Structure formats: C-alpha cells, structure tokens
Amino acid sequence: MSFMTMLTKKFAMPDPAEALPGRADAIEPSEAHFVNGHSLTGPYPDGTKTVLLGMGCFWGAERIFWQLPGVHATAVGYAGGFTPNPTYHETCTGRTGHTEAVLVVYDPETVTLETLLKVFWENHDPTQGMRQGNDTGTQYRSAIYVASDDELEIAERSRGAYQDALKGAGIASTITTEIKVLDQFYFAEDYHQQYLAKNPGGYCGIGGTGVACPVGLHQGA
C-alpha cells in the first residue's frame, strides 16, 4: 500500500474485509475510575444507563463528562468500527473503522440523555467529518452510539435542533455526526483512562463552535 493510499484511507472508513483482524482477548481496565473510584467495567448501579460519545480526542471529552452531576462513571475506548479488541495504535491507522469514544454511565433521574447531548454538541464541532480541529482521521469523527431505538430518536431529534441552531448562528456547515444503535464498546488501554486527571497538563483538543444547543435546557443538570 502506497503512502498516499494510506493517507487517503485515514479519511474514509475501511471496507470490513480490509479491516485489521484484531484479537480474541479484550483490553480490560485494571483499575477503578481515577477520579471517583467507581468500577469502569461494572456491574453498574441499578437504573443507570450508558451512551457512547465520540468528540475527537477522547482525553478531553472524558473529562467533560466525569464532572457532570449524575454521571456515575466514564471510560474511554473504541467503537463504531470492525476490528475486535483493537489497540490504540491500530485504531490510529484508520484500518479498524473505530472512533475514539467515551462511555458515559449515568443516572437518568439526575441527568437526562438530552442534557448529555447538549453538552456533547456544545463542546466540539460536529461538522468536520473525519477530523476534529488539528486531529485528523477516522478515529476523530463525531459519533453518538445509543442502546435503543427510543434513544436513537432522541439523538436524531437533538441533531436536528442543533443543526437549526447552527443555521440560526450563520453557520452553513452540515452536521456529520454518526448516530446509530450500538452496544459494542472496546475499552482503551489503562494509561488512556481519565488521562487528564492523571496528567493535568496533558493535551486537550476539545473546542466547540460557540453555538448553544437548545436541547435539554430545561432538563437535568
């Protein structure tokens, strides 16, 4: 494969037949959440729900969500692609099809999915396709992966509302966020989990459009 072909592939999803083979053994976090001490892998408390959110580099994205009231735990990993149990290095090649994602475990009695999505939309630019700022490649694409058709409807409705908000602010770009029902999440390596709590001066590429999202303004935190 030529260099130019490899470069192009990073900006387009690989064909499943071309994806890296991965492995049978999963990466399992060996420690509890660095900030709140909760289990990353569960079992989670009764009544909690989960959503997977891709906003570019998962270090900064995870920090946003672990600070929200009602969020029980967060973890970073890979989702939306084809390679089973990928590594960080493999995901960065663009040949797994995965995006960097944050697993958010939350109590819907305290913080609603609509409110989490409001935070999601406002803290990155969902119109950039296979990139987020200076971070480029399929692993940085914007994504919302939910657990049910009902949640899919909520996510799609929130996308429409934020698209309208962008238009109202004079931004003509179209939202490229991938939204689908997905229950497969692969945990990232230990050193990525709660990275910015362990390394406060570490890289954080998170940045929004400056446009407020009307979704969830009167709900949750």
Side-chain angles (χ1 to χ4, degrees):
M1 182 181 295
S2 70
F3 172 76
M4 289 305 297
T5 299
M6 290 179 66
L7 190 64
T8 301
K9 289 291 185 181
K10 281 180 65 65
F11 292 91
M13 288 289 285
D15 185 279
E18 299 174 337
L20 295 175
R23 58 201 45 79
D25 295 331
I27 295 171
E28 291 285 349
S30 62
E31 301 174 351
H33 197 284
F34 186 79
V35 177
N36 63 29
H38 295 161
S39 172
L40 299 187
T41 59
Y44 307 123
D46 291 344
T48 55
K49 293 185 176 183
T50 62
V51 64
L52 300 173
L53 301 170
M55 303 166 60
C57 177
F58 50 23
W59 292 344
E62 185 188 17
R63 179 170 62 181
I64 290 170
F65 289 101
W66 81 51
Q67 298 179 80
L68 296 180
V71 171
H72 173 77
T74 57
V76 297
Y78 318 109
F82 311 111
T83 299
N85 303 307
T87 65
Y88 179 70
H89 174 74
E90 289 171 342
T91 301
C92 288
T93 68
R95 297 180 59 203
T96 70
H98 294 296
T99 192
E100 295 188 15
V102 179
L103 170 68
V104 181
V105 183
Y106 66 99
D107 176 3
E109 296 296 320
T110 304
V111 60
T112 65
L113 178 58
E114 289 88 347
T115 297
L116 294 176
L117 293 175
K118 171 179 167 60
V119 173
F120 168 83
W121 295 120
E122 292 181 354
N123 283 277
H124 76 304
D125 184 344
T127 70
Q128 296 192 21
M130 300 298 183
R131 59 184 284 264
Q132 194 62 210
N134 293 326
D135 294 326
T136 58
T138 53
Q139 78 271 25
Y140 297 116
R141 70 185 185 274
S142 176
I144 302 169
Y145 301 132
V146 295
S148 71
D149 288 337
D150 289 345
E151 293 174 345
L152 184 67
E153 183 178 346
I154 291 171
E156 290 175 340
R157 190 165 60 243
S158 75
R159 174 177 56 191
Y162 198 57
Q163 185 70 73
D164 289 344
L166 291 176
K167 182 179 179 180
I171 298 175
S173 302
T174 299
I175 290 174
T176 58
T177 303
E178 180 179 56
I179 301 177
K180 61 184 179 180
V181 175
L182 181 76
D183 60 3
Q184 185 63 65
F185 172 76
Y186 300 104
F187 286 97
E189 295 82 349
D190 274 334
Y191 72 92
H192 289 297
Q193 305 298 338
Q194 299 85 61
Y195 181 87
L196 290 181
K198 301 170 185 174
N199 303 275
Y203 169 77
C204 176
I206 288 294
T209 63
V211 178
C213 178
V215 178
L217 285 177
H218 305 294
Q219 303 179 36

